[in-house]
Amino acid sequence: MDEDELLNCMRCGFCLPSCPTYITSGFKESHSPRGRIALMKAVVDGLIEPDEDFETSLNQCLGCRACEPVCPSGVNYGHLLEEARDIINQNKKHSLPVRTVRKAVFEGLFPHQNRMRNFTGLLGFYQRSGLQKVARATGIMKLFPESLATMERVLPKVPTMKEMKNRPRFLPAEAPETKKVAFFTGCLMDTMFLETNNATMKLLQLAGCEIIIPESQNCCGALHGHSGEKNGSKELAKKNIQAFEDLDVDYIITNAGGCGAFLVDYDHLLKDDPAWKERALAFKNKIKDITEILFEVRFHEKVKLELPFQIVTYQDSCHLRNVMKTAAAPRALLQAIEGIEFKEMKDADRCCGSAGIYNIVESEMSMQILDYKMEQTKATHASTVVTANPGCLLQMKLGIEREGLNEKMRAVHIVDLLMEAVK
């Protein structure tokens, strides 16, 4: 562990009101950033063993990093959390089923985009073949945990294999050229959320951006990094840096807050590798969220944006806000749409409980956090909830489904809403 970083924490408690798990657990100190850092330090000093209770405390953390912007000492809590999880994972003897699943996911699936397409294609077959209707009619889904069964109902319609394979590599600007950019497509975004990626590229074209889409890019490595598989995330990072570093572009654009936040941390991830440290820093400095580039080129002033009347609210992506420091741009774009009423949600910057696969592996805590989020959402009387990250989008759809609000409310990625407004 980075002991200097551990010692940076002054135990002042400024992080406590910003921590969803501390609040939701009934103000349990071991479920706060300050408490978790104290536990890490105690393990490093040999005062306690890294037992099951210690690991549970770390696993209960969302990794939302809301503690970082409010920390007067500037503690990089997210880095400490990932480091601790990696050390635990490397020294833990997992059971055979767990080892098998981890190997299949972290080595066999996410690093290979063609396998991601095939896996998503199976989901598409399930949706289009009638198997989904049969599964629902026979009640098979009741055998699964409630959150998983509900998640199955809110998954987007998966594109066909032909659509997933027929991806562009270059797109010209469709307005006076403002920027030359590269697009980070992501793994889930370019399969399950393919339409959002298409809308992202269209908006960039309308904003006057020439777009390059490198074929050799791959998964950002966030899932690996957050799950104690740091070596795997380093390999993916190096491949992405190689894919983009020779391109003569102004920016590398992302449309998923979780991916973007991990990409801008590549310099930290590879800080101990002399051959890659500077290359990672150069890569990081070009990363920009889609909302930031659209705001920068004044897209909302050049293109007429209009929708039928609806009340719209915005749920921050934790990593987009807390790591990439992007909060004003998406709001400015939404407020520029004629015909809508924008209402700020209370605690819009508090995590929705998605946090990658947290809503699957820590379902109980995730659903409690989501329940609070839905209370704040309903208080706005919004019919449209906007997010900027696929995990947040699915979680908000899950909340809407759980509350029985499908007829009154929808959740949508900001890119898709802007595309509607352009049309």
Side-chain angles (χ1 to χ4, degrees):
M1 294 289 293
D2 185 339
E3 292 195 55
D4 288 339
E5 195 68 69
L6 286 172
L7 290 170
N8 278 343
C9 178
M10 301 185 301
R11 314 289 193 264
C12 66
F14 274 78
C15 58
L16 300 183
S18 299
C19 179
T21 55
Y22 174 71
I23 296 167
T24 306
S25 67
F27 311 108
K28 197 173 180 180
E29 183 70 18
S30 62
H31 283 17
S32 73
R34 178 178 70 178
R36 291 181 177 110
I37 291 174
L39 289 173
M40 293 178 204
K41 185 70 168 60
V43 171
V44 167
D45 293 341
L47 300 177
I48 64 172
E49 289 295 316
D51 56 15
E52 189 175 335
D53 288 340
F54 172 75
E55 193 173 350
T56 297
S57 175
L58 295 191
N59 289 341
Q60 286 272 300
C61 180
L62 293 149
C64 68
R65 297 172 71 168
C67 50
E68 293 183 14
V70 299
C71 178
S73 299
V75 175
N76 290 304
Y77 173 80
H79 296 165
L80 287 172
L81 178 67
E82 288 181 5
E83 197 170 5
R85 284 175 171 172
D86 182 60
I87 292 169
I88 288 173
N89 183 56
Q90 299 310 320
N91 290 277
K92 184 177 182 179
K93 292 182 179 180
H94 292 292
S95 65
L96 180 60
V98 172
R99 286 202 310 272
T100 303
V101 170
R102 291 182 72 93
K103 187 175 181 65
V105 171
F106 295 122
E107 296 179 30
L109 182 60
F110 276 88
H112 308 281
Q113 191 64 4
N114 61 326
R115 295 179 189 175
M116 283 295 297
R117 283 194 293 265
N118 291 336
F119 177 78
T120 309
L122 289 175
L123 181 58
F125 175 77
Y126 166 75
Q127 290 178 336
R128 289 187 289 269
S129 66
L131 285 175
Q132 186 177 52
K133 291 181 180 179
V134 172
R136 292 177 180 179
T138 56
I140 290 176
M141 297 310 300
K142 292 180 181 178
L143 299 175
F144 294 89
E146 181 190 352
S147 59
L148 274 181
T150 308
M151 185 68 76
E152 185 269 346
R153 295 199 296 272
V154 301
L155 287 175
K157 295 298 180 185
V158 174
T160 64
M161 285 295 293
K162 182 179 179 182
E163 290 171 320
M164 286 188 283
K165 288 180 178 179
N166 186 25
R167 307 303 290 141
R169 297 301 161 203
F170 172 83
L171 291 169
E174 293 186 5
E177 190 170 323
T178 55
K179 300 289 180 183
K180 185 176 181 181
V181 302
F183 180 44
F184 184 82
T185 56
C187 45
L188 278 178
M189 289 304 299
D190 216 41
T191 49
M192 190 176 295
F193 296 94
L194 184 105
E195 286 306 311
T196 302
N197 266 7
N198 289 341
T200 301
M201 291 185 283
K202 188 65 177 178
L203 290 175
L204 287 170
Q205 287 180 285
L206 293 173
C209 294
E210 182 179 286
I211 314 167
I212 300 173
I213 307 101
E215 188 173 7
S216 56
Q217 62 178 298
N218 49 223
C219 172
C220 67
L223 184 62
H224 295 72
H226 301 330
S227 304
E229 297 282 346
K230 187 174 278 190
N231 287 336
S233 64
K234 286 181 178 179
E235 291 306 309
L236 291 170
K238 290 174 183 178
K239 289 177 181 178
N240 279 325
I241 292 168
Q242 284 181 317
F244 285 90
E245 67 182 345
D246 292 331
L247 303 179
D248 180 24
V249 295
D250 300 302
Y251 302 119
I252 300 169
I253 304 300
T254 72
N255 61 4
C259 295
F262 201 75
L263 296 174
V264 298
D265 260 354
Y266 274 5
D267 61 325
H268 171 76
L269 184 66
L270 299 171
K271 63 182 173 63
D272 297 322
D273 192 328
W276 287 92
K277 183 178 178 180
E278 293 303 319
R279 295 167 72 179
L281 182 60
F283 176 88
K284 166 190 176 167
N285 289 336
K286 287 191 174 183
I287 299 296
K288 191 179 284 285
D289 184 69
I290 176 64
T291 59
E292 287 284 5
I293 180 70
L294 292 178
F295 183 77
E296 181 180 317
V297 302
R298 315 309 292 175
F299 171 78
H300 54 303
E301 295 175 1
K302 298 174 183 176
V303 177
K304 182 175 176 61
L305 301 172
E306 187 174 9
L307 285 171
F309 175 75
Q310 56 197 283
I311 298 175
V312 174
T313 192
Y314 178 69
Q315 163 61 24
D316 283 284
S317 155
C318 296
H319 286 160
L320 184 62
R321 184 183 184 109
N322 300 326
V323 183
M324 297 185 74
K325 313 302 181 188
T326 295
R331 287 171 168 83
L333 292 170
L334 291 173
Q335 289 168 344
I337 301 174
E338 294 181 20
I340 73 166
E341 180 182 349
F342 179 78
K343 282 193 176 181
E344 188 69 37
M345 182 196 307
K346 181 187 175 185
D347 293 333
D349 58 347
R350 186 186 292 187
C351 186
C352 63
S354 171
I357 58 172
Y358 186 94
N359 55 5
I360 298 173
V361 297
E362 299 290 344
S363 179
E364 184 178 351
M365 179 69 80
S366 174
M367 293 304 103
Q368 290 180 50
I369 292 169
L370 177 59
D371 288 342
Y372 176 81
K373 180 61 61 178
M374 290 308 300
E375 286 178 23
Q376 311 317 313
T377 304
K378 288 187 290 185
T380 66
H381 302 289
S383 58
T384 301
V385 186
V386 179
T387 73
N389 185 61
C392 304
L393 178 61
L394 287 178
Q395 184 80 340
M396 295 309 294
K397 283 178 177 286
L398 182 63
I400 291 168
E401 178 76 23
R402 278 163 51 90
E403 295 284 338
L405 296 172
N406 282 323
E407 301 300 319
K408 298 179 180 179
M409 187 184 292
R410 63 171 178 158
V412 61
H413 193 289
I414 187 169
V415 162
D416 295 314
L417 190 71
L418 289 172
M419 198 67 237
E420 283 181 33
V422 170
K423 289 178 181 178

